[in-house]
Amino acid sequence: MPKKELREEIRRRKHRFTREQLRERSLPIVARLLAHPRLMEAETVLLYYSLPDEVDTHGMVDELLRQGKTVLLPVVMPDRGMQLCRYEGPETMREDEFHILEPTGEPFTDYEQIGVAVIPGMSFDARGNRLGRGKGYYDRFLKLLPHAYKIGVCFDFQRSEQVPVGANDIPVDEVIS
Ligand SMILES: Nc1ncnc2c1ncn2[C@@H]1O[C@H](COP(=O)(O)OP(=O)(O)O)[C@@H](O)[C@H]1O
Ligand SMILES: [Mg+2]
């Protein structure tokens, strides 16, 4: 199935659930992530601040912060790619022009420090191939993190038999759903 069709199919599957149901389904996924040895070991971790249709990471980033980790979140700069900011608590998140919550913490560029990157996706297959939202932001950014252990995150119903792969697509090392 071509990427565009697969994105539409996944979007249809997501619509079968309410936001509340998706939040509830996120809990065991987040529990597995928090118990992951690679994540527990890492001092500096890249997370994402979930949108309503993604695995809910809002509680998780606070927990990681509480554990004393350096928690980083992406900020999408249209035309300039993704940059990272330190997450410094829920009160430091601001809505951008598209009503997406973004961190306002210090910019972070010391990429070698990042031990683990937790990456959302529209779909993943068993080999770790990732389908994003269609802008390639993570593909461009993950090239800068060759050493980081990459964990893809999605709901079970977002997994695919085979995700189409292009020359620029960066796979993850493991998928948790
Ligand atoms: N590293 C890169 N350099 C240049 N263009 C890229 C890079 N990664 C992705 N792109 C481009 O971004 C667009 C979206 O990529 P795609 O893989 O379809 O989206 P997504 O990864 O968000 O699902 C494609 O045209 C792709 O060629
Ligand atoms: Mg891609």
Side-chain angles (χ1 to χ4, degrees):
M1 197 186 283
K3 286 185 177 184
K4 189 165 167 286
E5 282 174 39
L6 186 53
R7 283 191 197 98
E8 283 164 10
E9 168 60 23
I10 300 291
R11 232 171 252 126
R12 276 194 294 276
R13 292 186 204 167
K14 284 183 174 190
H15 280 133
R16 294 182 198 141
F17 300 91
T18 64
R19 284 183 175 200
E20 195 46 52
Q21 285 171 325
L22 291 180
R23 257 204 299 275
E24 209 158 288
R25 280 176 172 247
S26 300
L27 297 174
I29 302 172
V30 164
R32 275 194 285 282
L33 277 169
L34 284 171
H36 195 294
R38 300 297 289 257
L39 197 77
M40 290 175 72
E41 271 164 25
E43 273 175 35
T44 302
V45 294
L46 171 62
L47 263 292
Y48 67 96
Y49 207 71
S50 52
L51 297 169
D53 70 337
E54 291 175 326
V55 173
D56 184 351
T57 56
H58 293 196
M60 179 179 175
V61 292
D62 284 328
E63 172 58 20
L64 293 171
L65 200 60
R66 201 194 57 75
Q67 291 175 6
K69 296 188 192 294
T70 298
V71 180
L72 306 171
L73 295 177
V75 182
V76 172
M77 307 285 189
D79 308 322
R80 281 192 296 149
M82 248 166 59
Q83 300 188 358
L84 302 186
C85 256
R86 278 180 83 129
Y87 176 68
E88 290 163 348
E91 69 286 353
T92 65
M93 300 299 287
R94 293 278 175 279
E95 259 187 40
D96 73 3
E97 57 193 302
F98 308 107
H99 304 291
I100 291 173
L101 285 169
E102 285 189 342
T104 57
E106 241 180 286
F108 183 97
T109 53
D110 201 0
Y111 297 144
E112 313 89 80
Q113 295 300 315
I114 300 173
V116 170
V118 176
I119 301 153
M122 284 297 281
S123 188
F124 293 94
D125 67 23
R127 281 172 301 285
N129 295 314
R130 173 180 178 275
L131 182 75
R133 290 187 185 254
K135 298 241 160 67
Y137 280 116
Y138 271 103
D139 291 326
R140 272 173 284 249
F141 181 73
L142 289 176
K143 279 207 307 197
L144 308 175
L145 301 186
H147 53 279
Y149 188 76
K150 301 171 190 69
I151 304 177
V153 179
C154 66
F155 296 107
D156 255 342
F157 62 81
Q158 289 175 267
R159 284 182 181 258
S160 299
E161 195 62 44
Q162 202 166 1
V163 168
V165 188
N168 289 315
D169 287 319
I170 307 277
V172 296
D173 296 298
E174 181 180 345
V175 182
I176 292 187
S177 66

